[in-house]
Structures are given as structure tokens and as C-alpha cells.
């Protein structure tokens, strides 16, 4: 917790570990009783577990608001961690990561083949 403003200048890095779902105990969170400015700082995440789909982690919580973005990460941009896709969200007072389910390539191929077989059977029965 910081009781002042925090400015991440270009070239600086915000490093956070995510090893579970409990804030402060299993994953890092910066709480700022002031404003946060992100001037294209780098976000460096270390993952120690695979989060559940839909799970959200608030990395920075700032009562005075957040201005700017991390380098190369605009609102809604996605990344990959432990085989799952995450999405970053910049709200006026927080920065969070949420996770969405992305089928494994093999599963997507099997689903596509099953659809083609079903379509072929339907055409043959008509």
C-alpha cells in the first residue's frame, strides 16, 4: 500500500507474481491511496498456477484513478499464460486481468471434424 501518487515512467517495470487466487497471500496487488500514472511501463507477470476461466486478478487498485497503459497493452488486449488466454482491463480505479477459455488446438480440430461428419450424414440422408 502506498499513501501517495505512483508514477511508472517509461522504461520502468511493474513485476507481479500470481500463484493463486488470494490477493496479498497468493498474488501481488499494489494498492495506491492516490493516483497511478503508467507511462508505457513494462508489465512483468510470473505465473505459478493455472487460473480458472473467468477468474479476475486486480493488479493495481488506485483510489485517485489510473492514467496511461502498460507498454504494448491497450484495454482489452490479450496474452497467454499457462495455456489460457488472459485479457487486461483498465478501469478508472483499477487494472485487472481476467481469463477466458480457449480450446486446445486438438479439441478445436475434433469439434470441426465432428461438425463435418454430422453435415455429411445429414446430406446423405436427404
Amino acid at each position: 500500500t502506498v499513501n501517495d501518487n505512483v508514477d511508472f515512467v517509461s522504461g520502468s517495470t511493474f513485476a507481479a507474481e500470481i500463484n493463486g487466487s488470494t490477493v496479498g497471500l497468493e498474488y501481488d496487488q499494489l494498492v495506491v491511496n492516490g493516483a497511478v500514472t503508467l507511462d508505457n511501463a513494462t508489465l512483468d507477470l510470473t505465473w505459478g498456477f493455472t487460473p480458472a476461466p473467468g477468474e479476475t486478478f486486480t493488479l493495481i487498485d488506485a483510489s485517485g484513478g489510473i492514467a496511461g497503459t502498460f507498454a504494448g497493452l491497450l484495454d482489452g488486449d490479450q496474452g497467454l499464460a499457462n495455456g489460457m488466454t488472459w485479457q487486461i482491463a483498465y478501469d478508472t480505479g483499477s487494472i485487472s486481468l481476467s481469463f477466458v477459455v480457449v480450446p486446445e488446438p486438438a479439441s478445436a480440430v475434433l469439434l470441426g471434424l465432428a461438425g463435418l461428419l454430422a453435415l455429411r450424414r445429414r446430406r446423405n440422408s436427404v
Side-chain angles (χ1 to χ4, degrees):
T1 300
V2 176
N3 291 315
D4 201 353
N5 297 328
V6 174
D7 295 322
F8 289 96
V9 297
S10 184
S12 64
T13 299
F14 176 69
E17 294 179 354
I18 301 178
N19 295 313
S21 301
T22 308
V23 66
L25 185 61
E26 296 176 311
Y27 83 90
D28 297 332
Q29 181 183 73
L30 174 63
V31 177
V32 179
N33 295 318
V36 171
T37 301
L38 301 171
D39 184 14
N40 290 314
T42 300
L43 176 60
D44 180 15
L45 298 174
T46 302
W47 301 94
F49 87 120
T50 300
E55 202 163 357
T56 301
F57 301 87
T58 302
L59 299 179
I60 299 175
D61 186 5
S63 63
I66 296 172
T69 63
F70 286 112
L73 289 173
L74 300 176
D75 189 43
D77 281 354
Q78 296 182 344
L80 189 64
N82 295 4
M84 294 195 64
T85 299
W86 56 263
Q87 185 172 27
I88 194 163
Y90 296 94
D91 297 319
T92 55
S94 68
I95 296 173
S96 62
L97 295 177
S98 57
F99 289 81
V100 295
V101 178
V102 176
E104 297 176 26
S107 299
V109 169
L110 288 175
L111 285 173
L113 287 175
L116 288 173
L117 286 174
L119 182 62
R120 184 174 181 199
R121 281 188 183 169
R122 183 171 181 197
R123 290 175 103 188
N124 289 339
S125 65
V126 173

